[in-house]
Amino acid sequence: MTGKLRNRRVFSMRPVARSAIATGLVLLFSQSGAAAGPDQGAQLAATCASCHRLDGGGTGIPSIIGLGEERLTNALLAYRASERPNHIMHVIALSLSDEEIASVARYVAAQGSNQR
């Protein structure tokens, strides 16, 4: 792929990425006052699904389906602490409390076991 074509593709994806990030943040902040409950993980996972398809499909962005609860929790905590490099995930993880991270990790991990 030539440099010009590659740069156009990257540039043209920026508005899409910005839109996905903005949508995710709106969803996260709108859920921040939600009471903890069995559906909190599902509500928070809706934000994840804007980039990570919850059916395990897709390309480019890794699937989170099939990852265990502990692995997901550790990944989100590492993003929040800037121990894993990703600006988008860092911002998303910063917006989640420890309880919300545990809730979304539990929900997503359970979805992976339901698909087997």
Side-chain angles (χ1 to χ4, degrees):
M1 187 180 303
T2 67
K4 283 185 177 181
L5 180 59
R6 184 175 56 221
N7 288 341
R8 280 189 202 153
R9 178 178 283 166
V10 169
F11 182 75
S12 67
M13 289 302 293
R14 286 183 181 158
V16 173
R18 285 185 196 130
S19 177
I21 293 168
T23 301
L25 291 175
V26 166
L27 287 171
L28 279 174
F29 290 124
S30 69
Q31 299 301 324
S32 63
D39 62 334
Q40 181 186 31
Q43 291 171 351
L44 293 168
T47 301
C48 304
S50 66
C51 294
H52 300 274
R53 288 183 44 189
L54 296 182
D55 64 1
T59 58
I61 296 175
S63 175
I64 55 176
I65 293 298
L67 299 178
E69 182 178 342
E70 183 177 353
R71 186 170 175 191
L72 289 166
T73 299
N74 289 339
L76 286 168
L77 292 173
Y79 285 123
R80 187 168 70 184
S82 296
E83 294 170 358
R84 289 182 84 165
N86 187 297
H87 296 294
I88 295 168
M89 289 302 303
H90 175 69
V91 170
I92 290 171
L94 278 175
S95 70
L96 298 171
S97 68
D98 289 345
E99 179 182 277
E100 290 169 327
I101 287 174
S103 180
V104 74
R106 188 171 34 257
Y107 176 82
V108 172
Q111 298 313 299
S113 64
N114 290 340
Q115 289 186 351
R116 291 183 187 152

XYZ file of all heavy atoms in Angstrom:
849
model
N 0.855 -1.166 0.000
C 0.000 0.000 0.000
C 0.899 1.227 0.000
O 1.850 1.306 0.749
C -0.881 -0.017 1.256
C -1.911 1.049 1.271
S -2.974 1.043 2.751
C -3.667 -0.565 2.751
N 0.608 2.188 -0.847
C 1.435 3.384 -0.910
C 1.207 4.252 0.300
O 0.180 4.165 0.962
C 1.112 4.202 -2.186
O -0.195 4.716 -2.065
C 1.260 3.364 -3.442
N 2.189 5.129 0.558
C 2.079 6.013 1.713
C 0.867 6.918 1.634
O 0.187 7.163 2.615
N 0.582 7.438 0.414
C -0.566 8.337 0.265
C -1.870 7.626 0.573
O -2.716 8.139 1.285
C -0.627 8.907 -1.152
C 0.369 9.997 -1.404
C 0.152 10.563 -2.788
C 1.093 11.709 -3.053
N 0.873 12.269 -4.381
N -2.052 6.421 0.024
C -3.292 5.680 0.242
C -3.445 5.320 1.710
O -4.507 5.468 2.288
C -3.336 4.417 -0.619
C -4.576 3.549 -0.492
C -5.821 4.361 -0.855
C -4.469 2.342 -1.386
N -2.364 4.863 2.312
C -2.422 4.495 3.718
C -2.779 5.705 4.575
O -3.609 5.622 5.460
C -1.097 3.901 4.169
C -1.143 3.420 5.607
C 0.104 2.721 6.064
N 1.248 3.574 5.871
C 2.420 3.165 5.414
N 2.613 1.921 5.101
N 3.428 4.005 5.262
N -2.173 6.856 4.312
C -2.469 8.057 5.086
C -3.913 8.498 4.895
O -4.533 8.981 5.821
C -1.525 9.192 4.715
C -0.119 8.949 5.242
O 0.061 8.152 6.154
N 0.862 9.597 4.655
N -4.469 8.366 3.699
C -5.873 8.716 3.474
C -6.783 7.804 4.278
O -7.763 8.251 4.844
C -6.233 8.608 1.993
C -5.786 9.787 1.204
C -6.363 9.730 -0.181
N -5.531 10.543 -1.040
C -5.384 10.361 -2.319
N -6.015 9.375 -2.933
N -4.613 11.137 -3.026
N -6.472 6.515 4.290
C -7.302 5.577 5.032
C -7.272 5.905 6.521
O -8.290 5.919 7.180
C -6.836 4.149 4.810
C -7.662 3.153 5.626
C -7.281 1.743 5.399
N -7.854 1.331 4.128
C -7.499 0.246 3.484
N -6.551 -0.520 3.974
N -8.060 -0.079 2.353
N -6.098 6.154 7.070
C -5.981 6.495 8.480
C -6.734 7.781 8.762
O -7.479 7.886 9.717
C -4.495 6.624 8.902
C -4.371 7.234 10.275
C -3.821 5.274 8.855
N -6.556 8.781 7.900
C -7.231 10.052 8.097
C -8.737 9.898 8.026
O -9.456 10.463 8.826
C -6.745 11.071 7.062
C -7.368 12.419 7.252
C -6.959 13.242 8.286
C -8.383 12.862 6.423
C -7.539 14.476 8.485
C -8.969 14.096 6.611
C -8.533 14.908 7.639
N -9.229 9.078 7.081
C -10.673 8.931 6.929
C -11.297 8.156 8.083
O -12.484 8.277 8.331
C -11.020 8.251 5.605
O -10.579 6.918 5.612
N -10.525 7.379 8.825
C -11.051 6.629 9.961
C -11.126 7.483 11.222
O -11.822 7.138 12.157
C -10.183 5.398 10.230
C -10.303 4.317 9.188
S -11.990 3.729 8.996
C -12.245 2.952 10.569
N -10.425 8.594 11.245
C -10.421 9.423 12.461
C -11.820 9.893 12.852
O -12.162 9.815 14.021
C -9.464 10.590 12.308
C -8.028 10.146 12.409
C -7.079 11.285 12.337
N -5.717 10.775 12.420
C -4.671 11.408 11.989
N -4.797 12.596 11.437
N -3.481 10.879 12.104
N -12.645 10.397 11.912
C -13.993 10.802 12.329
C -14.813 9.635 12.882
O -15.574 9.803 13.829
C -14.628 11.361 11.052
C -13.479 11.743 10.180
C -12.385 10.767 10.527
N -14.632 8.450 12.309
C -15.351 7.273 12.788
C -14.894 6.930 14.200
O -15.707 6.674 15.085
C -15.137 6.071 11.839
C -15.736 4.806 12.410
C -15.709 6.383 10.465
N -13.587 6.957 14.419
C -13.053 6.658 15.747
C -13.515 7.691 16.765
O -13.908 7.349 17.882
C -11.532 6.594 15.708
N -13.505 8.959 16.377
C -13.966 10.009 17.290
C -15.431 9.810 17.649
O -15.829 9.978 18.801
C -13.767 11.380 16.659
C -12.342 11.832 16.649
C -12.237 13.255 16.121
N -10.856 13.511 15.773
C -10.443 14.018 14.627
N -11.309 14.366 13.715
N -9.177 14.216 14.407
N -16.214 9.449 16.661
C -17.637 9.225 16.900
C -17.852 8.056 17.853
O -18.666 8.124 18.768
C -18.358 8.965 15.581
O -19.697 8.678 15.800
N -17.112 6.960 17.646
C -17.239 5.789 18.517
C -16.815 6.119 19.942
O -17.474 5.717 20.907
C -16.403 4.629 17.980
N -15.746 6.884 20.072
C -15.270 7.267 21.406
C -16.303 8.149 22.088
O -16.642 7.943 23.256
C -13.913 7.991 21.320
C -12.826 7.021 20.849
C -13.532 8.602 22.663
C -11.548 7.694 20.456
N -16.812 9.131 21.353
C -17.803 10.036 21.935
C -19.044 9.271 22.371
O -19.579 9.496 23.464
C -18.177 11.123 20.933
N -19.508 8.341 21.523
C -20.685 7.540 21.866
C -20.426 6.718 23.117
O -21.256 6.660 24.021
C -21.058 6.610 20.699
O -21.328 7.409 19.556
C -22.261 5.753 21.037
N -19.265 6.095 23.178
C -18.915 5.292 24.343
C -18.852 6.109 25.614
O -19.352 5.700 26.659
N -18.261 7.290 25.527
C -18.162 8.129 26.716
C -19.529 8.628 27.176
O -19.799 8.687 28.375
C -17.213 9.302 26.458
C -15.744 8.907 26.310
C -14.908 10.124 25.942
C -15.216 8.258 27.563
N -20.383 8.976 26.229
C -21.736 9.395 26.596
C -22.450 8.263 27.321
O -23.088 8.467 28.348
C -22.541 9.853 25.352
C -24.024 9.955 25.651
C -22.011 11.180 24.842
N -22.321 7.046 26.788
C -22.956 5.900 27.438
C -22.376 5.661 28.828
O -23.111 5.380 29.777
C -22.794 4.639 26.584
C -23.642 4.576 25.318
C -23.225 3.396 24.465
C -25.107 4.484 25.669
N -21.069 5.772 28.944
C -20.442 5.554 30.245
C -20.904 6.584 31.269
O -21.269 6.237 32.389
C -18.923 5.621 30.122
C -18.246 4.371 29.620
C -16.760 4.624 29.411
C -18.448 3.218 30.575
N -20.886 7.846 30.885
C -21.264 8.881 31.838
C -22.748 8.841 32.153
O -23.153 9.158 33.259
C -20.842 10.266 31.347
C -19.360 10.456 31.381
C -18.661 10.806 30.243
C -18.644 10.253 32.552
C -17.286 10.965 30.271
C -17.264 10.410 32.593
C -16.586 10.768 31.449
N -23.562 8.422 31.203
C -24.993 8.331 31.486
C -25.290 7.175 32.433
O -26.287 7.185 33.132
C -25.801 8.181 30.195
O -25.574 6.917 29.610
N -24.418 6.189 32.474
C -24.606 5.041 33.352
C -23.948 5.227 34.709
O -24.128 4.404 35.596
C -24.028 3.772 32.699
C -24.674 3.400 31.400
C -26.152 3.151 31.549
O -26.584 2.616 32.552
N -26.927 3.560 30.568
N -23.169 6.286 34.875
C -22.387 6.420 36.108
C -23.255 6.495 37.359
O -22.813 6.123 38.432
C -21.470 7.643 36.024
O -22.248 8.819 35.919
N -24.488 6.944 37.235
C -25.359 7.017 38.398
C -26.212 5.782 38.580
O -26.998 5.705 39.511
N -26.069 4.797 37.706
C -26.907 3.597 37.775
C -26.557 2.785 39.012
O -25.404 2.662 39.396
C -26.709 2.742 36.533
N -27.557 2.230 39.609
C -27.338 1.388 40.785
C -26.702 0.079 40.366
O -26.954 -0.427 39.286
C -28.676 1.120 41.479
N -25.876 -0.452 41.230
C -25.263 -1.742 40.945
C -26.345 -2.805 40.956
O -27.209 -2.824 41.811
C -24.199 -2.057 41.996
N -26.305 -3.645 39.996
C -27.292 -4.697 39.903
C -26.878 -5.668 38.820
O -25.850 -5.489 38.179
N -27.669 -6.694 38.625
C -27.290 -7.702 37.645
C -27.202 -7.158 36.229
O -26.460 -7.684 35.420
C -28.391 -8.756 37.757
C -29.445 -8.186 38.613
C -28.896 -6.994 39.299
N -27.937 -6.100 35.927
C -27.898 -5.582 34.567
C -26.864 -4.474 34.385
O -26.679 -3.979 33.288
C -29.279 -5.088 34.134
C -29.789 -3.943 34.983
O -29.376 -3.829 36.150
O -30.586 -3.153 34.458
N -26.154 -4.079 35.444
C -25.129 -3.043 35.304
C -24.040 -3.483 34.332
O -23.598 -2.700 33.496
C -24.515 -2.689 36.657
C -23.459 -1.580 36.522
C -22.723 -1.309 37.810
O -22.536 -2.223 38.621
N -22.303 -0.089 38.003
N -23.600 -4.725 34.426
C -22.577 -5.232 33.518
C -23.034 -5.179 32.081
O -22.275 -4.806 31.186
N -24.295 -5.522 31.835
C -24.838 -5.471 30.474
C -24.890 -4.039 29.971
O -24.569 -3.777 28.806
C -26.229 -6.097 30.448
N -25.293 -3.116 30.828
C -25.347 -1.711 30.427
C -23.963 -1.184 30.093
O -23.777 -0.488 29.099
C -25.987 -0.871 31.532
C -27.448 -1.146 31.726
C -28.015 -0.465 32.960
O -27.278 0.094 33.769
N -29.323 -0.508 33.106
N -22.994 -1.508 30.908
C -21.626 -1.055 30.655
C -21.024 -1.741 29.439
O -20.266 -1.135 28.685
C -20.757 -1.300 31.892
C -21.114 -0.458 33.108
C -20.392 -0.978 34.347
C -20.803 1.000 32.870
N -21.354 -2.995 29.233
C -20.822 -3.742 28.084
C -21.337 -3.181 26.759
O -20.707 -3.378 25.723
C -21.165 -5.220 28.201
N -22.460 -2.471 26.796
C -22.956 -1.832 25.578
C -21.921 -0.849 25.043
O -21.764 -0.692 23.827
C -24.282 -1.135 25.850
N -21.185 -0.209 25.934
C -20.113 0.691 25.521
C -18.989 -0.105 24.865
O -18.465 0.293 23.836
C -19.567 1.469 26.730
O -20.641 2.204 27.294
C -18.459 2.413 26.329
N -18.648 -1.239 25.446
C -17.597 -2.087 24.879
C -17.971 -2.526 23.455
O -17.127 -2.583 22.561
C -17.385 -3.331 25.735
S -17.006 -2.990 27.459
N -19.257 -2.824 23.283
C -19.739 -3.341 22.000
C -19.651 -2.311 20.884
O -19.706 -2.680 19.715
C -21.177 -3.837 22.147
N -19.496 -1.022 21.234
C -19.365 -0.036 20.172
C -18.058 -0.218 19.399
O -17.968 0.212 18.262
C -19.478 1.391 20.721
O -18.396 1.697 21.563
N -17.080 -0.888 19.986
C -15.825 -1.197 19.289
C -15.545 -2.705 19.248
O -15.184 -3.244 18.217
C -14.648 -0.494 19.966
S -14.703 1.293 19.862
N -15.697 -3.371 20.381
C -15.446 -4.814 20.494
C -16.773 -5.531 20.293
O -17.627 -5.483 21.176
C -14.935 -5.175 21.901
C -13.674 -4.495 22.283
N -12.440 -4.977 21.960
C -13.466 -3.360 23.004
C -11.517 -4.177 22.455
N -12.115 -3.187 23.097
N -16.914 -6.201 19.172
C -18.176 -6.907 18.944
C -18.327 -8.008 19.978
O -17.426 -8.786 20.218
C -18.198 -7.485 17.536
C -18.357 -6.390 16.500
C -18.449 -6.901 15.108
N -19.318 -8.059 14.987
C -19.414 -8.775 13.888
N -18.713 -8.476 12.828
N -20.212 -9.818 13.838
N -19.486 -8.058 20.602
C -19.708 -9.043 21.658
C -20.075 -10.418 21.120
O -20.265 -11.346 21.888
C -20.779 -8.534 22.634
C -20.381 -7.276 23.408
C -21.487 -6.879 24.376
C -19.068 -7.476 24.149
N -20.151 -10.550 19.785
C -20.375 -11.874 19.203
C -19.057 -12.547 18.838
O -19.035 -13.634 18.288
C -21.301 -11.797 17.988
C -20.707 -11.000 16.826
O -19.562 -10.510 16.934
O -21.402 -10.867 15.806
N -17.929 -11.874 19.155
C -16.615 -12.451 18.892
C -16.114 -12.198 17.495
O -14.997 -12.562 17.157
N -16.908 -11.577 16.639
C -16.492 -11.303 15.272
C -15.784 -9.974 15.153
O -15.509 -9.298 16.129
N -15.521 -9.605 13.921
C -14.917 -8.312 13.657
C -13.438 -8.432 13.359
O -12.815 -9.473 13.547
N -12.899 -7.332 12.861
C -11.480 -7.293 12.537
C -10.882 -5.998 13.051
O -11.578 -5.010 13.221
C -11.248 -7.369 11.009
O -11.935 -6.265 10.400
C -11.756 -8.670 10.430
N -9.605 -6.030 13.299
C -8.900 -4.828 13.715
C -8.879 -4.610 15.213
O -7.833 -4.410 15.796
N -10.015 -4.644 15.846
C -10.091 -4.457 17.297
C -10.288 -5.833 17.912
O -11.188 -6.573 17.524
C -11.250 -3.511 17.675
C -10.966 -2.132 17.084
C -11.424 -3.438 19.185
C -12.062 -1.134 17.274
N -9.437 -6.205 18.853
C -9.517 -7.561 19.404
C -10.850 -7.855 20.076
O -11.448 -6.989 20.704
C -8.386 -7.622 20.429
C -7.748 -6.298 20.463
C -8.408 -5.401 19.477
N -11.276 -9.086 19.931
C -12.487 -9.542 20.602
C -12.194 -9.704 22.088
O -11.093 -10.078 22.478
C -12.930 -10.882 20.024
O -14.037 -11.378 20.744
N -13.182 -9.408 22.898
C -13.028 -9.607 24.341
C -13.839 -10.809 24.814
O -13.750 -11.194 25.974
C -13.405 -8.338 25.131
C -14.806 -7.861 24.787
C -12.374 -7.248 24.904
C -15.287 -6.675 25.593
N -14.595 -11.393 23.905
C -15.376 -12.580 24.236
C -14.422 -13.761 24.414
O -13.512 -13.962 23.622
C -16.417 -12.881 23.140
C -17.465 -11.781 23.103
C -17.062 -14.233 23.315
C -18.265 -11.637 24.384
N -14.643 -14.521 25.449
C -13.803 -15.681 25.703
C -12.672 -15.401 26.680
O -12.002 -16.315 27.130
N -12.442 -14.117 26.983
C -11.434 -13.790 27.983
C -12.059 -13.965 29.361
O -13.223 -13.650 29.568
C -10.953 -12.344 27.819
C -10.289 -12.001 26.493
C -9.910 -10.519 26.475
C -9.067 -12.862 26.259
N -11.318 -14.455 30.284
C -11.844 -14.683 31.629
C -12.058 -13.383 32.386
O -11.513 -12.332 32.032
N -12.858 -13.471 33.433
C -13.175 -12.301 34.260
C -11.921 -11.663 34.842
O -11.759 -10.440 34.813
C -14.119 -12.731 35.378
C -14.562 -11.606 36.273
C -15.543 -12.058 37.347
O -16.140 -13.144 37.212
O -15.697 -11.319 38.329
N -11.014 -12.466 35.347
C -9.786 -11.938 35.951
C -8.918 -11.234 34.905
O -8.373 -10.157 35.159
C -8.997 -13.061 36.620
C -7.750 -12.575 37.323
C -7.004 -13.692 38.049
O -7.513 -14.815 38.124
O -5.908 -13.407 38.540
N -8.817 -11.829 33.727
C -8.006 -11.226 32.661
C -8.591 -9.879 32.216
O -7.864 -8.915 32.015
C -7.903 -12.184 31.481
C -6.973 -11.691 30.399
C -6.708 -12.746 29.375
N -5.913 -12.194 28.299
C -5.682 -12.801 27.165
N -6.185 -14.010 26.964
N -4.966 -12.230 26.238
N -9.911 -9.825 32.058
C -10.563 -8.572 31.679
C -10.387 -7.512 32.755
O -10.082 -6.352 32.460
C -12.052 -8.814 31.421
C -12.385 -9.597 30.151
C -13.835 -10.063 30.189
C -12.127 -8.751 28.925
N -10.570 -7.905 34.003
C -10.404 -6.968 35.121
C -8.979 -6.426 35.153
O -8.768 -5.211 35.249
C -10.747 -7.648 36.461
O -12.110 -8.071 36.421
C -10.533 -6.708 37.636
N -8.009 -7.318 35.055
C -6.605 -6.893 35.085
C -6.272 -5.980 33.913
O -5.517 -5.015 34.065
C -5.677 -8.102 35.109
C -5.717 -8.838 36.429
O -6.105 -8.278 37.454
N -5.333 -10.101 36.424
N -6.827 -6.273 32.738
C -6.574 -5.432 31.560
C -7.139 -4.030 31.775
O -6.452 -3.028 31.513
C -7.178 -6.071 30.312
N -8.372 -3.930 32.246
C -8.975 -2.616 32.475
C -8.222 -1.829 33.543
O -8.008 -0.617 33.409
C -10.451 -2.761 32.838
C -11.364 -3.115 31.671
C -12.742 -3.528 32.170
C -11.471 -1.958 30.696
N -7.802 -2.510 34.590
C -7.029 -1.828 35.634
C -5.682 -1.355 35.100
O -5.207 -0.263 35.447
C -6.836 -2.743 36.844
C -8.109 -3.063 37.631
C -7.830 -4.117 38.697
C -8.715 -1.806 38.239
N -5.062 -2.154 34.226
C -3.780 -1.763 33.619
C -3.961 -0.574 32.675
O -3.123 0.337 32.647
C -3.164 -2.948 32.876
N -5.052 -0.554 31.899
C -5.327 0.608 31.047
C -5.529 1.857 31.909
O -5.021 2.930 31.595
C -6.568 0.386 30.177
C -6.347 -0.538 29.011
C -7.121 -1.679 28.852
C -5.375 -0.276 28.054
C -6.932 -2.523 27.776
C -5.173 -1.122 26.977
C -5.957 -2.247 26.836
O -5.764 -3.081 25.773
N -6.277 1.718 32.979
C -6.561 2.854 33.856
C -5.273 3.406 34.468
O -5.107 4.613 34.613
C -7.547 2.440 34.944
C -8.014 3.624 35.772
C -9.188 3.285 36.642
N -8.814 2.388 37.724
C -9.671 1.877 38.579
N -10.957 2.158 38.492
N -9.272 1.079 39.535
N -4.335 2.533 34.820
C -3.075 2.940 35.440
C -2.006 3.317 34.409
O -0.863 3.581 34.778
C -2.563 1.816 36.332
N -2.366 3.322 33.130
C -1.431 3.608 32.021
C -0.304 2.582 31.935
O 0.775 2.882 31.449
C -0.851 5.022 32.134
O -1.861 5.989 32.014
N -0.556 1.365 32.410
C 0.424 0.290 32.302
C 0.318 -0.417 30.960
O 1.235 -1.135 30.566
C 0.231 -0.716 33.439
C 0.528 -0.119 34.805
C 0.103 -1.016 35.948
O -0.475 -2.106 35.711
O 0.335 -0.615 37.104
N -0.813 -0.245 30.279
C -1.010 -0.762 28.923
C -1.275 0.446 28.033
O -2.130 1.272 28.350
C -2.194 -1.718 28.858
C -1.917 -3.036 29.560
C -3.075 -3.969 29.436
N -3.016 -4.692 28.167
C -3.736 -5.774 27.912
N -4.586 -6.234 28.807
N -3.635 -6.385 26.761
N -0.539 0.558 26.920
C -0.661 1.766 26.096
C -1.856 1.729 25.138
O -1.880 0.957 24.187
C 0.652 1.781 25.311
C 1.044 0.345 25.206
C 0.522 -0.320 26.454
N -2.856 2.532 25.411
C -3.975 2.734 24.498
C -4.777 3.913 25.030
O -5.395 3.820 26.090
C -4.849 1.483 24.389
C -5.914 1.623 23.332
O -6.788 2.478 23.437
N -5.843 0.796 22.314
N -4.765 5.012 24.292
C -5.410 6.238 24.764
C -6.913 6.059 24.959
O -7.476 6.536 25.940
C -5.141 7.398 23.801
C -3.702 7.762 23.722
N -3.010 8.290 24.783
C -2.805 7.647 22.710
C -1.762 8.490 24.434
N -1.603 8.108 23.180
N -7.558 5.381 24.036
C -9.008 5.205 24.116
C -9.374 4.371 25.331
O -10.239 4.747 26.133
C -9.559 4.566 22.826
C -9.342 5.518 21.656
C -11.032 4.200 22.968
C -9.580 4.894 20.302
N -8.712 3.230 25.494
C -9.019 2.363 26.625
C -8.643 3.026 27.955
O -9.304 2.807 28.971
C -8.324 1.004 26.479
C -8.931 0.140 25.391
S -10.702 -0.183 25.637
C -10.724 -0.929 27.256
N -7.611 3.844 27.948
C -7.225 4.557 29.166
C -8.362 5.477 29.620
O -8.749 5.468 30.796
C -5.939 5.355 28.930
C -5.527 6.211 30.078
N -5.074 5.686 31.275
C -5.505 7.553 30.226
C -4.791 6.673 32.107
N -5.046 7.816 31.497
N -8.921 6.232 28.683
C -10.009 7.158 29.010
C -11.238 6.392 29.491
O -11.877 6.769 30.477
C -10.349 8.047 27.790
C -11.623 8.840 28.025
C -9.188 8.975 27.474
N -11.556 5.308 28.802
C -12.731 4.521 29.193
C -12.525 3.918 30.585
O -13.405 3.997 31.444
C -13.037 3.442 28.143
C -13.562 4.134 26.875
C -14.037 2.417 28.664
C -13.718 3.229 25.680
N -11.360 3.335 30.820
C -11.092 2.712 32.124
C -11.070 3.744 33.247
O -11.501 3.457 34.368
C -9.776 1.937 32.074
N -10.596 4.957 32.962
C -10.604 6.016 33.980
C -12.020 6.371 34.411
O -12.240 6.779 35.546
C -9.922 7.280 33.448
C -8.409 7.328 33.508
C -7.906 8.597 32.814
C -7.907 7.254 34.940
N -12.976 6.201 33.508
C -14.354 6.582 33.824
C -15.098 5.518 34.621
O -16.219 5.748 35.057
C -15.117 6.900 32.536
O -15.345 5.728 31.800
N -14.475 4.361 34.823
C -15.125 3.257 35.531
C -14.595 3.117 36.957
O -13.387 3.193 37.190
C -14.888 1.934 34.791
C -15.447 1.825 33.382
C -14.939 0.566 32.712
C -16.959 1.853 33.403
N -15.494 2.879 37.879
C -15.089 2.576 39.253
C -14.611 1.120 39.308
O -14.823 0.345 38.370
C -16.274 2.756 40.203
O -17.257 1.759 39.959
N -13.996 0.742 40.408
C -13.582 -0.655 40.588
C -14.786 -1.588 40.489
O -14.708 -2.658 39.892
C -12.889 -0.855 41.937
C -11.502 -0.224 41.990
O -10.949 0.125 40.933
O -10.973 -0.080 43.115
N -15.896 -1.171 41.078
C -17.116 -1.984 41.049
C -17.634 -2.140 39.613
O -18.061 -3.225 39.205
C -18.189 -1.328 41.914
C -19.499 -2.090 41.937
C -20.548 -1.367 42.765
O -20.533 -1.537 43.992
O -21.358 -0.633 42.159
N -17.586 -1.067 38.835
C -18.048 -1.135 37.446
C -17.128 -2.007 36.594
O -17.600 -2.760 35.740
C -18.158 0.275 36.858
C -19.295 1.068 37.465
C -19.263 2.534 37.104
O -18.160 3.112 36.937
O -20.354 3.124 36.991
N -15.829 -1.923 36.829
C -14.884 -2.785 36.112
C -15.190 -4.242 36.422
O -15.253 -5.079 35.517
C -13.425 -2.420 36.455
C -13.051 -1.097 35.780
C -12.461 -3.539 36.051
C -11.682 -0.559 36.152
N -15.402 -4.571 37.689
C -15.725 -5.948 38.068
C -17.032 -6.399 37.431
O -17.142 -7.532 36.942
C -15.805 -6.068 39.591
N -18.009 -5.517 37.400
C -19.321 -5.849 36.849
C -19.256 -6.128 35.346
O -19.799 -7.120 34.862
C -20.295 -4.705 37.146
O -21.565 -4.993 36.631
N -18.582 -5.249 34.609
C -18.499 -5.445 33.160
C -17.632 -6.666 32.836
O -17.944 -7.430 31.918
C -18.016 -4.175 32.425
C -16.539 -3.907 32.609
C -18.362 -4.245 30.944
N -16.571 -6.892 33.593
C -15.721 -8.066 33.358
C -16.499 -9.351 33.613
O -16.405 -10.314 32.844
C -14.475 -8.009 34.252
N -17.282 -9.369 34.669
C -18.107 -10.539 34.998
C -19.117 -10.806 33.879
O -19.295 -11.931 33.433
C -18.807 -10.302 36.339
C -19.543 -11.469 36.900
C -20.032 -11.245 38.350
N -20.424 -9.880 38.689
C -19.659 -9.022 39.405
N -18.487 -9.397 39.859
N -20.088 -7.817 39.677
N -19.769 -9.747 33.396
C -20.777 -9.897 32.341
C -20.157 -10.398 31.039
O -20.655 -11.345 30.431
C -21.494 -8.561 32.104
C -22.469 -8.646 30.966
C -23.741 -9.171 31.166
C -22.125 -8.218 29.692
C -24.639 -9.275 30.115
C -23.011 -8.316 28.636
C -24.263 -8.846 28.850
O -25.146 -8.958 27.805
N -19.074 -9.765 30.601
C -18.448 -10.141 29.325
C -17.886 -11.556 29.405
O -18.019 -12.337 28.462
C -17.371 -9.114 28.910
C -16.587 -9.591 27.709
C -18.015 -7.767 28.607
N -17.283 -11.913 30.532
C -16.761 -13.271 30.696
C -17.891 -14.293 30.614
O -17.742 -15.351 29.999
C -16.014 -13.400 32.018
N -19.025 -13.981 31.200
C -20.178 -14.890 31.158
C -20.707 -15.041 29.735
O -21.159 -16.117 29.346
C -21.287 -14.392 32.073
N -20.632 -13.989 28.937
C -21.093 -14.072 27.551
C -20.233 -15.034 26.755
O -20.718 -15.759 25.913
C -21.077 -12.693 26.884
C -21.981 -11.667 27.528
C -23.382 -12.207 27.809
O -24.086 -12.591 26.901
N -23.746 -12.234 29.073
N -18.944 -15.060 27.042
C -18.045 -15.987 26.364
C -18.368 -17.436 26.703
O -18.353 -18.303 25.837
N -18.716 -17.694 27.950
C -19.055 -19.069 28.341
C -20.410 -19.482 27.788
O -20.668 -20.658 27.577
C -19.021 -19.226 29.861
O -20.012 -18.418 30.469
N -21.282 -18.504 27.519
C -22.608 -18.822 26.937
C -22.517 -19.196 25.473
O -23.414 -19.842 24.949
C -23.549 -17.620 27.079
C -23.962 -17.369 28.504
O -23.866 -18.255 29.345
N -24.411 -16.160 28.784
N -21.433 -18.788 24.797
C -21.300 -19.076 23.366
C -20.699 -20.432 23.089
O -20.660 -20.879 21.982
C -20.447 -18.014 22.689
C -21.160 -16.684 22.595
C -20.371 -15.681 21.797
O -19.216 -15.911 21.441
N -20.991 -14.576 21.489
N -20.191 -21.107 24.101
C -19.504 -22.389 23.883
C -20.463 -23.538 23.871
O -21.520 -23.574 24.249
C -18.461 -22.597 24.971
C -17.365 -21.594 24.768
C -16.266 -21.792 25.774
N -15.349 -20.675 25.585
C -14.608 -20.178 26.517
N -14.625 -20.668 27.719
N -13.809 -19.181 26.280
